[in-house]
Amino acid sequence: MVSEKLHQWKERKVCVIGAGPSGLVAARELRKEGHKVVVFEQNHDIGGQWLYDPHVQNEHPLGKASNFLNVHSSVYASLRIASPREIMGFSDFPFLVKKGRDTRRYPGHKELFLYLKDFCDWFGLRELIRFNTRVEYVGMLDYSDDDVHVHNHHDHVGKEIKWVVRSRDKTGDDYDKILVEQVFDAVVLANGHYSHPRLPNIKGMDKWKRKQIHSHVYRVPEPFRDEVVVVVGSSQSGQDISLELVEVAKETHISTRSMDTITEGLSKVIQKHQNLHLQPQIESLEDDGRVLFVDGSSIVADTILYCTGYSYSFPFLDTKGIVVVDDDRVGPLYEHTFPPSLAPSLSFIGIPRKLIGFPFFESQAIWIAQLLSGKRTLPSWDDMMQSIKEFYHSRDVAGIPKHNTHDLADFEYCDKYGDNVGYPHLEEWRKKLCLSSLINYFTDLETFRDSWDDDEDLQEAFQSSHFAQVLPQ
């Protein structure tokens, strides 16, 4: 909603955490709106998840860390994007094919990194970013624990909250001992959500003597040559990695929670490869190296590779318990973006999963930037809390587990969200290309990235205004 009164425009000093896709578009929109922006990025370059990092030797094999992981990216060497490039681009920066680069419709991860680099350079964002800087603490300035009960009440909304951000710079291979402290009017969390492994709780897991790793540290199939490998999880990464392992491992067993979720594409692949097997859920891991399944069958395995997804993690964030992560539900968040008691000075970009990400991040960034300048206002605290309650209730009624709270997979939600700032609805061609790609993936797992029959929708895409924009080649 646009503010009733002629708003008094405000320039804010804003800290953005992370220079991946969501952090970059946040920086652009905040600056466009006239704010002073500093982006903190722990790595040496932009890209976030898309900045490939082959050096995983110092990471815990299961990604267990007291607070901070050594490695941010979970991208493996052969990874190709799972959506056609045409739908991936930001609204005013199409993901074009460039001469001399990876020209495939479903390119490898490096091409997406180069797209983000082009975006960063085209909009001059690099000057806003402090690289090799790890944020270790974000908290409210002059804020005592006595304020907590007040702060959860709507009377407190609108109070000017300032944020203390403490960070360390990296020199060489390690971080400085000196903590640098700065104060900001607002903080935007864009630190990504595909780094901190989510692990199952399996009986005997802690005592199992053989190799156990999470896909977060998987890069290439070679270390698994001639092994018997159990891949836990049959989602996209589990399927992708299993298809690679089949070429080198003695046997690959995919353990799935539910046989009902096995796609036609995966079934075809299993029938084709004699050393690829489907197994039910694991019951326990035994001392002698056996993996016991819930149907009573077992195998002796060399390695268990957990493709069990990731958890939301904000180890640096101290909101005095106002925002919590409970079984991967980050809340309370109005529209998955704003904690009602701290909005709009604290916001989150990129929490929803299973959406067409980049355009959605862009609409989030625009809303955050306009709320901070006073161009728009949020509903009342009561209304925001009511909306969150209704959303949680709708998920519960639909039988959706709490850890899937932010899995939205909903075009309509993107459109409704964009209406907050007049962001254009997703184009029909974008929706069609997304759906045909998904159908292709479900039916032809091995070939969906290289054979498709969506030429009509593709022509419609290329004739749209999105691709008519003049951009550097």
Side-chain angles (χ1 to χ4, degrees), residues 33-160:
E33 191 62 23
H35 301 297
K36 277 191 177 148
V37 189
V38 182
V39 182
F40 290 94
E41 170 50 56
Q42 64 184 345
N43 268 314
H44 65 280
D45 206 347
I46 61 106
Q49 199 51 243
W50 300 101
L51 180 63
Y52 177 67
D53 184 354
H55 307 295
V56 292
Q57 57 277 13
N58 296 328
E59 188 73 280
H60 187 286
L62 292 174
K64 288 183 175 173
S66 53
N67 260 343
F68 298 97
L69 292 160
N70 295 312
V71 176
H72 178 72
S73 175
S74 301
V75 162
Y76 37 95
S78 68
L79 184 135
R80 289 172 66 185
I81 64 175
S83 304
R85 63 159 75 224
E86 302 83 27
I87 73 172
M88 298 280 287
F90 293 114
S91 69
D92 56 354
F93 200 79
F95 188 3
L96 301 171
V97 168
K98 297 214 167 176
K99 287 191 189 94
R101 295 216 315 224
D102 186 343
T103 59
R104 294 172 296 179
R105 284 191 70 198
Y106 294 76
H109 55 80
K110 187 182 179 188
E111 185 64 16
L112 189 50
F113 165 74
L114 292 173
Y115 165 78
L116 291 169
K117 198 168 167 298
D118 292 341
F119 178 81
C120 186
D121 296 343
W122 180 250
F123 292 105
L125 302 175
R126 208 166 274 272
E127 65 197 42
L128 305 175
I129 306 168
R130 284 183 41 193
F131 292 106
N132 293 311
T133 303
R134 185 170 76 193
V135 172
E136 301 216 346
Y137 175 83
V138 172
M140 289 164 271
L141 183 67
D142 301 333
Y143 190 89
S144 75
D145 288 342
D146 300 339
D147 292 335
V148 171
H149 69 282
V150 183
H151 216 89
N152 275 314
H153 193 261
H154 59 277
D155 291 348
H156 211 79
V157 174
K159 183 187 171 196
E160 297 285 318

Side-chain angles (χ1 to χ4, degrees), residues 80 239-240 242-244 246-247 263-273 276 440-451:
R80 289 172 66 185
Q239 295 181 12
D240 260 4
S242 298
L243 283 179
E244 277 203 320
V246 136
E247 303 300 327
T263 62
E264 184 189 334
L266 183 55
S267 299
K268 281 184 197 169
V269 172
I270 289 166
Q271 283 160 14
K272 184 178 156 187
H273 296 277
L276 183 61
N440 219 350
Y441 160 71
F442 285 131
T443 52
D444 293 296
L445 186 57
E446 281 185 294
T447 61
F448 81 97
R449 289 181 178 92
D450 296 305
S451 60

Side-chain angles (χ1 to χ4, degrees), residues 200-215:
N201 192 1
I202 297 171
K203 191 178 160 203
M205 193 171 161
D206 294 344
K207 296 194 187 81
W208 207 66
K209 297 281 188 291
R210 300 185 177 201
K211 199 161 55 173
Q212 295 185 75
I213 76 163
H214 188 277
S215 57

Side-chain angles (χ1 to χ4, degrees), residues 18 21 57 60 66 74 86 103 144 167 194 205 232 251 256 261 267 282 295 299 308 328 363 397 407 432 434 455 469:
Q57 57 277 13
H60 187 286
S66 53
S74 301
E86 302 83 27
T103 59
S144 75
S167 61
Y194 297 102
M205 193 171 161
V232 180
E251 294 172 22
T256 181
T261 58
S267 299
I282 297 174
D295 65 354
I299 53 162
T308 45
D328 278 331
S363 64
V397 167
D407 292 4
K432 285 182 201 162
C434 178
D455 288 350
Q469 301 171 74

Side-chain angles (χ1 to χ4, degrees), residues 197-200 214-215 232-233 235 237-238 257 305-311:
R198 181 180 167 87
L199 289 162
H214 188 277
S215 57
V232 180
S235 64
S237 63
R257 258 199 315 240
L305 204 166
Y306 295 98
C307 295
T308 45
Y310 297 90
S311 287

